[in-house]
Amino acid sequence: MSRRIITIGRQYGSNGRRIAKKLSEKLGIHYYDKELIKLASEQNDISYDELVKVDEKRANPWRYPVEDPAQMESRFRFEPMNDVLFYTQAQIITRLADTEDCIIVGRCANDILKSRPTSRSIFIHAPLDYRLQTVMERTSLEEKEALSLIKKVDKQRKFYYNYYTDKKWEEMSQYDLCLDSSAMSEDEILNVLTALYESIL
């Protein structure tokens, strides 16, 4: 039986992860973000630290997989670690959707669960100035470095999503609900998402 699932895509600096965590506390259900890497590490017996390096990043099409020492084992010799992680996480996400109500951040979860009638997809975004301020406060970086980081992470997430779903990450029409986190208070956003969760039948 499918459970109620909220998937959250997010621009870097839009506070999507923070909102997911707060929502999980409000609803009393788990949220999965970096935890998915840990579960994938345990399932495949691969170092967590190695998987973190390729999390939400597509494989480099110009680089042969065995250039990475972690992929020298025969079982990974012809498959980029990015692919190993993505397909393992897809299995885990599907399994979670069968067993518990939860919130899943990123990892193309909205597309993986698109056929589930009890899954709702959210995209959290915000103007660049707002995200820049958030990242500067979060990381203590200067403006130039923070801007560079935002562009880098968003580019990685976009390429990753587009590659594995054959869709466009920032195409709002593929999400059930898109929210500008700068336009509403955190409590207002949580109230909207709580109502959405409770409306799932």
Side-chain angles (χ1 to χ4, degrees), residues 84-101:
V84 173
L85 179 57
F86 173 78
Y87 291 114
T88 301
Q89 287 184 330
Q91 293 173 359
I92 293 168
I93 288 167
T94 301
R95 188 163 65 243
L96 289 171
D98 287 332
T99 57
E100 64 175 286
D101 288 15

PDB file of all heavy atoms in Angstrom, residues 84-101:
ATOM      1  N   VAL A  84      25.467   4.125  -9.792  1.00  0.00           N
ATOM      2  CA  VAL A  84      25.254   3.166  -8.706  1.00  0.00           C
ATOM      3  C   VAL A  84      24.423   3.819  -7.608  1.00  0.00           C
ATOM      4  O   VAL A  84      23.443   3.257  -7.118  1.00  0.00           O
ATOM      5  CB  VAL A  84      26.596   2.672  -8.126  1.00  0.00           C
ATOM      6  CG1 VAL A  84      26.367   1.820  -6.881  1.00  0.00           C
ATOM      7  CG2 VAL A  84      27.379   1.882  -9.171  1.00  0.00           C
ATOM      8  N   LEU A  85      24.816   5.045  -7.240  1.00  0.00           N
ATOM      9  CA  LEU A  85      24.107   5.742  -6.172  1.00  0.00           C
ATOM     10  C   LEU A  85      22.686   6.087  -6.591  1.00  0.00           C
ATOM     11  O   LEU A  85      21.736   5.875  -5.830  1.00  0.00           O
ATOM     12  CB  LEU A  85      24.858   7.017  -5.775  1.00  0.00           C
ATOM     13  CG  LEU A  85      24.192   7.856  -4.671  1.00  0.00           C
ATOM     14  CD1 LEU A  85      23.978   7.036  -3.402  1.00  0.00           C
ATOM     15  CD2 LEU A  85      25.013   9.100  -4.372  1.00  0.00           C
ATOM     16  N   PHE A  86      22.507   6.619  -7.807  1.00  0.00           N
ATOM     17  CA  PHE A  86      21.160   7.012  -8.232  1.00  0.00           C
ATOM     18  C   PHE A  86      20.201   5.827  -8.228  1.00  0.00           C
ATOM     19  O   PHE A  86      19.094   5.907  -7.668  1.00  0.00           O
ATOM     20  CB  PHE A  86      21.173   7.642  -9.622  1.00  0.00           C
ATOM     21  CG  PHE A  86      19.783   7.903 -10.140  1.00  0.00           C
ATOM     22  CD1 PHE A  86      19.060   8.992  -9.694  1.00  0.00           C
ATOM     23  CD2 PHE A  86      19.177   7.017 -11.029  1.00  0.00           C
ATOM     24  CE1 PHE A  86      17.749   9.213 -10.129  1.00  0.00           C
ATOM     25  CE2 PHE A  86      17.874   7.233 -11.473  1.00  0.00           C
ATOM     26  CZ  PHE A  86      17.162   8.328 -11.016  1.00  0.00           C
ATOM     27  N   TYR A  87      20.595   4.729  -8.842  1.00  0.00           N
ATOM     28  CA  TYR A  87      19.672   3.603  -8.961  1.00  0.00           C
ATOM     29  C   TYR A  87      19.433   2.909  -7.623  1.00  0.00           C
ATOM     30  O   TYR A  87      18.336   2.401  -7.365  1.00  0.00           O
ATOM     31  CB  TYR A  87      20.183   2.616 -10.016  1.00  0.00           C
ATOM     32  CG  TYR A  87      20.104   3.204 -11.409  1.00  0.00           C
ATOM     33  CD1 TYR A  87      21.255   3.475 -12.156  1.00  0.00           C
ATOM     34  CD2 TYR A  87      18.877   3.554 -11.973  1.00  0.00           C
ATOM     35  CE1 TYR A  87      21.180   4.053 -13.415  1.00  0.00           C
ATOM     36  CE2 TYR A  87      18.792   4.135 -13.225  1.00  0.00           C
ATOM     37  CZ  TYR A  87      19.938   4.387 -13.938  1.00  0.00           C
ATOM     38  OH  TYR A  87      19.851   4.966 -15.183  1.00  0.00           O
ATOM     39  N   THR A  88      20.433   2.940  -6.750  1.00  0.00           N
ATOM     40  CA  THR A  88      20.219   2.401  -5.406  1.00  0.00           C
ATOM     41  C   THR A  88      19.257   3.289  -4.630  1.00  0.00           C
ATOM     42  O   THR A  88      18.330   2.797  -3.967  1.00  0.00           O
ATOM     43  CB  THR A  88      21.553   2.288  -4.642  1.00  0.00           C
ATOM     44  OG1 THR A  88      22.445   1.443  -5.365  1.00  0.00           O
ATOM     45  CG2 THR A  88      21.328   1.704  -3.244  1.00  0.00           C
ATOM     46  N   GLN A  89      19.453   4.605  -4.714  1.00  0.00           N
ATOM     47  CA  GLN A  89      18.540   5.513  -4.022  1.00  0.00           C
ATOM     48  C   GLN A  89      17.123   5.400  -4.581  1.00  0.00           C
ATOM     49  O   GLN A  89      16.153   5.506  -3.824  1.00  0.00           O
ATOM     50  CB  GLN A  89      19.048   6.951  -4.131  1.00  0.00           C
ATOM     51  CG  GLN A  89      20.263   7.222  -3.252  1.00  0.00           C
ATOM     52  CD  GLN A  89      20.704   8.675  -3.294  1.00  0.00           C
ATOM     53  OE1 GLN A  89      20.529   9.365  -4.296  1.00  0.00           O
ATOM     54  NE2 GLN A  89      21.287   9.148  -2.214  1.00  0.00           N
ATOM     55  N   ALA A  90      16.981   5.191  -5.891  1.00  0.00           N
ATOM     56  CA  ALA A  90      15.653   5.022  -6.483  1.00  0.00           C
ATOM     57  C   ALA A  90      14.946   3.804  -5.883  1.00  0.00           C
ATOM     58  O   ALA A  90      13.741   3.846  -5.588  1.00  0.00           O
ATOM     59  CB  ALA A  90      15.763   4.887  -7.992  1.00  0.00           C
ATOM     60  N   GLN A  91      15.697   2.729  -5.678  1.00  0.00           N
ATOM     61  CA  GLN A  91      15.128   1.535  -5.048  1.00  0.00           C
ATOM     62  C   GLN A  91      14.695   1.834  -3.621  1.00  0.00           C
ATOM     63  O   GLN A  91      13.611   1.420  -3.185  1.00  0.00           O
ATOM     64  CB  GLN A  91      16.158   0.402  -5.044  1.00  0.00           C
ATOM     65  CG  GLN A  91      16.511  -0.146  -6.412  1.00  0.00           C
ATOM     66  CD  GLN A  91      17.654  -1.150  -6.343  1.00  0.00           C
ATOM     67  OE1 GLN A  91      18.201  -1.432  -5.271  1.00  0.00           O
ATOM     68  NE2 GLN A  91      18.033  -1.692  -7.493  1.00  0.00           N
ATOM     69  N   ILE A  92      15.542   2.566  -2.907  1.00  0.00           N
ATOM     70  CA  ILE A  92      15.240   2.894  -1.510  1.00  0.00           C
ATOM     71  C   ILE A  92      14.021   3.805  -1.421  1.00  0.00           C
ATOM     72  O   ILE A  92      13.132   3.610  -0.583  1.00  0.00           O
ATOM     73  CB  ILE A  92      16.470   3.555  -0.843  1.00  0.00           C
ATOM     74  CG1 ILE A  92      17.612   2.532  -0.732  1.00  0.00           C
ATOM     75  CG2 ILE A  92      16.108   4.111   0.530  1.00  0.00           C
ATOM     76  CD1 ILE A  92      18.947   3.147  -0.354  1.00  0.00           C
ATOM     77  N   ILE A  93      13.958   4.810  -2.296  1.00  0.00           N
ATOM     78  CA  ILE A  93      12.823   5.742  -2.315  1.00  0.00           C
ATOM     79  C   ILE A  93      11.522   5.000  -2.595  1.00  0.00           C
ATOM     80  O   ILE A  93      10.497   5.232  -1.949  1.00  0.00           O
ATOM     81  CB  ILE A  93      13.067   6.856  -3.354  1.00  0.00           C
ATOM     82  CG1 ILE A  93      14.146   7.821  -2.846  1.00  0.00           C
ATOM     83  CG2 ILE A  93      11.781   7.612  -3.669  1.00  0.00           C
ATOM     84  CD1 ILE A  93      14.672   8.765  -3.900  1.00  0.00           C
ATOM     85  N   THR A  94      11.554   4.083  -3.552  1.00  0.00           N
ATOM     86  CA  THR A  94      10.369   3.286  -3.880  1.00  0.00           C
ATOM     87  C   THR A  94       9.959   2.428  -2.693  1.00  0.00           C
ATOM     88  O   THR A  94       8.760   2.312  -2.382  1.00  0.00           O
ATOM     89  CB  THR A  94      10.655   2.391  -5.103  1.00  0.00           C
ATOM     90  OG1 THR A  94      11.010   3.218  -6.218  1.00  0.00           O
ATOM     91  CG2 THR A  94       9.440   1.561  -5.467  1.00  0.00           C
ATOM     92  N   ARG A  95      10.931   1.851  -2.019  1.00  0.00           N
ATOM     93  CA  ARG A  95      10.641   1.017  -0.848  1.00  0.00           C
ATOM     94  C   ARG A  95      10.052   1.848   0.294  1.00  0.00           C
ATOM     95  O   ARG A  95       9.095   1.421   0.954  1.00  0.00           O
ATOM     96  CB  ARG A  95      11.924   0.316  -0.401  1.00  0.00           C
ATOM     97  CG  ARG A  95      11.722  -0.723   0.691  1.00  0.00           C
ATOM     98  CD  ARG A  95      12.911  -1.657   0.791  1.00  0.00           C
ATOM     99  NE  ARG A  95      14.138  -0.973   1.204  1.00  0.00           N
ATOM    100  CZ  ARG A  95      15.230  -0.893   0.435  1.00  0.00           C
ATOM    101  NH1 ARG A  95      15.253  -1.417  -0.779  1.00  0.00           N
ATOM    102  NH2 ARG A  95      16.314  -0.291   0.889  1.00  0.00           N
ATOM    103  N   LEU A  96      10.604   3.032   0.503  1.00  0.00           N
ATOM    104  CA  LEU A  96      10.078   3.907   1.551  1.00  0.00           C
ATOM    105  C   LEU A  96       8.629   4.289   1.267  1.00  0.00           C
ATOM    106  O   LEU A  96       7.796   4.343   2.176  1.00  0.00           O
ATOM    107  CB  LEU A  96      10.938   5.168   1.657  1.00  0.00           C
ATOM    108  CG  LEU A  96      12.340   4.999   2.243  1.00  0.00           C
ATOM    109  CD1 LEU A  96      13.135   6.291   2.081  1.00  0.00           C
ATOM    110  CD2 LEU A  96      12.265   4.597   3.714  1.00  0.00           C
ATOM    111  N   ALA A  97       8.325   4.551  -0.013  1.00  0.00           N
ATOM    112  CA  ALA A  97       6.965   4.937  -0.402  1.00  0.00           C
ATOM    113  C   ALA A  97       5.962   3.820  -0.144  1.00  0.00           C
ATOM    114  O   ALA A  97       4.761   4.068  -0.026  1.00  0.00           O
ATOM    115  CB  ALA A  97       6.935   5.329  -1.872  1.00  0.00           C
ATOM    116  N   ASP A  98       6.464   2.583  -0.040  1.00  0.00           N
ATOM    117  CA  ASP A  98       5.597   1.437   0.241  1.00  0.00           C
ATOM    118  C   ASP A  98       5.417   1.191   1.735  1.00  0.00           C
ATOM    119  O   ASP A  98       4.493   0.485   2.137  1.00  0.00           O
ATOM    120  CB  ASP A  98       6.181   0.164  -0.384  1.00  0.00           C
ATOM    121  CG  ASP A  98       6.032   0.127  -1.893  1.00  0.00           C
ATOM    122  OD1 ASP A  98       5.082   0.749  -2.406  1.00  0.00           O
ATOM    123  OD2 ASP A  98       6.869  -0.515  -2.555  1.00  0.00           O
ATOM    124  N   THR A  99       6.308   1.765   2.540  1.00  0.00           N
ATOM    125  CA  THR A  99       6.337   1.355   3.947  1.00  0.00           C
ATOM    126  C   THR A  99       6.062   2.454   4.975  1.00  0.00           C
ATOM    127  O   THR A  99       5.697   2.138   6.111  1.00  0.00           O
ATOM    128  CB  THR A  99       7.706   0.724   4.283  1.00  0.00           C
ATOM    129  OG1 THR A  99       8.752   1.672   3.989  1.00  0.00           O
ATOM    130  CG2 THR A  99       7.935  -0.529   3.464  1.00  0.00           C
ATOM    131  N   GLU A 100       6.241   3.733   4.610  1.00  0.00           N
ATOM    132  CA  GLU A 100       6.023   4.772   5.621  1.00  0.00           C
ATOM    133  C   GLU A 100       5.690   6.122   4.992  1.00  0.00           C
ATOM    134  O   GLU A 100       6.097   6.415   3.880  1.00  0.00           O
ATOM    135  CB  GLU A 100       7.265   4.929   6.500  1.00  0.00           C
ATOM    136  CG  GLU A 100       8.500   5.416   5.758  1.00  0.00           C
ATOM    137  CD  GLU A 100       9.678   5.678   6.692  1.00  0.00           C
ATOM    138  OE1 GLU A 100       9.637   6.696   7.421  1.00  0.00           O
ATOM    139  OE2 GLU A 100      10.629   4.870   6.662  1.00  0.00           O
ATOM    140  N   ASP A 101       4.928   6.924   5.718  1.00  0.00           N
ATOM    141  CA  ASP A 101       4.733   8.316   5.331  1.00  0.00           C
ATOM    142  C   ASP A 101       6.063   9.026   5.567  1.00  0.00           C
ATOM    143  O   ASP A 101       6.676   8.850   6.628  1.00  0.00           O
ATOM    144  CB  ASP A 101       3.662   8.978   6.199  1.00  0.00           C
ATOM    145  CG  ASP A 101       2.263   8.494   5.881  1.00  0.00           C
ATOM    146  OD1 ASP A 101       2.133   7.456   5.205  1.00  0.00           O
ATOM    147  OD2 ASP A 101       1.309   9.143   6.321  1.00  0.00           O
TER     148      ASP A 101
END
